[in-house]
Amino acid sequence: MVEPEIAFAELKDDMNCAEAYVKFLCQWLLDNCLEDMEFMADKFDKGCIDRLKLVASTPFIRVSYTEAVEILEDAVKNGKKFENEVKWGIDLASEHERFLTENKENGFAS
């Protein structure tokens, strides 16, 4: 989780900074540690290099908290089971964040 702190900035500035930082790190790994990443791909995670390339080159999609809760509530209505309750006003759990970023049907993953 990246949560930059910037003086005199708006939320959008903070999000832009976090996105740029994550993209920089992914590209840095590709540019400077490709041999290590190839080892990781061979031994542990075949798709890790492709994911780094995707993150480094794709604009992040942003949704409001309310939109995220609505997407999760729709998933629950369609049979998705979460360990943590989905309800407006409570913190999103890691499982909710993972669902939002990994599931193609919600439009956040390619």
Side-chain angles (χ1 to χ4, degrees):
M1 184 164 275
V2 177
E3 296 180 13
E5 295 183 16
I6 309 166
F8 310 108
E10 301 291 329
L11 179 59
K12 187 173 181 178
D13 300 318
D14 204 38
M15 290 188 294
N16 289 339
C17 181
E19 179 176 346
Y21 180 66
V22 170
K23 288 179 173 212
F24 169 82
L25 290 176
C26 290
Q27 190 61 53
W28 190 91
L29 282 170
L30 292 166
D31 293 343
N32 297 286
C33 302
L34 188 56
E35 188 175 307
D36 295 325
M37 293 310 303
E38 288 168 344
F39 174 81
M40 295 296 289
D42 181 53
K43 302 295 182 196
F44 302 104
D45 184 351
K46 303 284 184 223
C48 64
I49 293 173
D50 290 335
R51 279 196 313 281
L52 286 172
K53 289 177 181 177
L54 182 67
V55 171
S57 65
T58 305
F60 287 20
I61 296 172
R62 301 170 187 181
V63 296
S64 69
Y65 171 80
T66 298
E67 291 169 315
V69 170
E70 289 171 356
I71 292 166
L72 294 167
E73 288 174 337
D74 287 343
V76 170
K77 287 177 189 172
N78 290 321
K80 173 67 179 163
K81 303 259 190 257
F82 292 111
E83 289 182 22
N84 296 284
E85 180 183 17
V86 175
K87 180 179 171 185
W88 198 95
I90 62 174
D91 290 342
L92 298 180
S94 294
E95 66 176 331
H96 303 139
E97 294 169 353
R98 191 174 314 110
F99 178 85
L100 291 167
T101 58
E102 291 180 353
N103 289 275
K104 292 179 185 197
E105 55 271 6
N106 64 31
F108 296 123
S110 54

